[in-house]
Amino acid sequence: MQDATIDYTQDRKKEFLKRLRMHTQSQHTALEEHPLSVSLFKEEVNLDDYLRYLKAMYGVVAGFEEAYYPILKDWVPAIELRRKTPWLAQDLQLLKSDIPSSISVPTFLEYSPNPAYLLGKMYVMEGSALGGAVIYKHLQPKLGFSPEEGGRYFYGYGSQTAGMWRAFLEVLTTQALVENAEPNILKGAAEQFVAIQTFFDTQLLVSR
């Protein structure tokens, strides 16, 4: 009986993740097709493209961690190990680039105490670490950086990436089974993709 209950719970979690991916598919694709994202995969990608993206992500990541980590720490174990602002700051400093001031932190990051909604947002931020591993493999031979020399952010969790992702998904899917939590998670994830894209748009205007 217990094994059957466990299997049923795992099936529900898997089905939820499928719904989450489907619900955010169009927003995810739109962000991947944003000019700042596309620039990293150009055959002739250069340091300016790279720094422009890092500065944009600094605003997104710093804003997210400043606004939401104090709340999420009660829901995500060892959340401090997931901070990525220091990685971005390290890369920008090593590459002799200015670190955006706090004024640049996105104003779209509205406060919300709902943990399910915030976990939905964090799903997008943690998922970026998976994409970062792909970007790292593409950029490393072209720009010649390493985790210690300009590539810390995209290197991310390194060999721990899969484990960190699974640990977060366990928190997320467990919360999703709580009554009325799923709609809030779906809403948070979709809105975070859109929020990042909106902020990227402002950064394109700034860089012109």
Side-chain angles (χ1 to χ4, degrees):
M1 184 68 178
Q2 185 177 6
D3 289 343
T5 300
I6 293 174
D7 289 343
Y8 174 66
T9 299
Q10 292 303 316
D11 286 344
R12 289 180 63 196
K13 290 180 176 181
K14 290 177 182 178
E15 288 301 316
F16 160 72
L17 288 176
K18 288 181 182 178
R19 290 192 295 274
L20 178 56
R21 286 191 291 268
M22 291 180 61
H23 184 77
T24 58
Q25 184 174 1
S26 62
Q27 295 92 339
H28 191 175
T29 299
L31 183 57
E32 288 182 331
E33 293 176 350
H34 191 277
L36 281 182
S37 304
V38 171
S39 69
L40 295 181
F41 286 96
K42 295 188 305 184
E43 189 61 32
E44 68 279 12
V45 61
N46 56 44
L47 185 59
D48 287 340
D49 296 323
Y50 182 59
L51 290 175
R52 190 179 302 113
Y53 187 91
L54 288 185
K55 287 183 177 182
M57 281 308 298
Y58 185 93
V60 172
V61 172
F64 184 89
E65 292 177 359
E66 180 180 331
Y68 298 144
Y69 269 35
I71 304 169
L72 285 165
K73 65 181 176 63
D74 294 330
W75 299 87
V76 181
I79 194 171
E80 291 301 315
L81 297 179
R82 297 180 182 272
R83 284 194 180 272
K84 301 168 186 64
T85 304
W87 300 348
L88 285 157
Q90 175 183 313
D91 290 341
L92 290 169
Q93 287 175 334
L94 287 171
L95 295 172
K96 312 299 183 185
S97 180
D98 295 334
I99 296 175
S101 68
S102 58
I103 298 174
S104 299
V105 172
T107 57
F108 61 72
L109 294 171
E110 298 179 0
Y111 173 83
S112 172
N114 185 294
Y117 176 79
L118 298 186
L119 284 171
K121 282 180 158 299
M122 193 169 180
Y123 164 80
V124 177
M125 303 301 288
E126 285 300 298
S128 68
L130 297 178
V134 176
I135 295 172
Y136 181 86
K137 290 180 180 179
H138 171 73
L139 292 179
Q140 196 281 327
K142 294 180 179 296
L143 299 180
F145 54 58
S146 67
E148 296 77 25
E149 298 181 359
R152 185 64 186 86
Y153 173 68
F154 282 121
Y155 183 75
Y157 302 123
S159 61
Q160 299 181 53
T161 297
M164 293 289 279
W165 179 238
R166 286 194 298 269
F168 175 74
L169 287 185
E170 183 59 30
V171 172
L172 181 72
T173 54
T174 298
Q175 180 66 27
L177 301 188
V178 176
E179 185 176 4
N180 297 324
E182 180 172 330
N184 282 308
I185 293 175
L186 298 180
K187 186 175 189 296
E191 291 188 355
Q192 186 66 9
F193 275 119
V194 174
I196 295 172
Q197 182 178 359
T198 300
F199 185 67
F200 274 15
D201 287 343
T202 68
Q203 298 308 289
L204 278 182
L205 294 174
V206 169
S207 63
R208 286 176 181 171

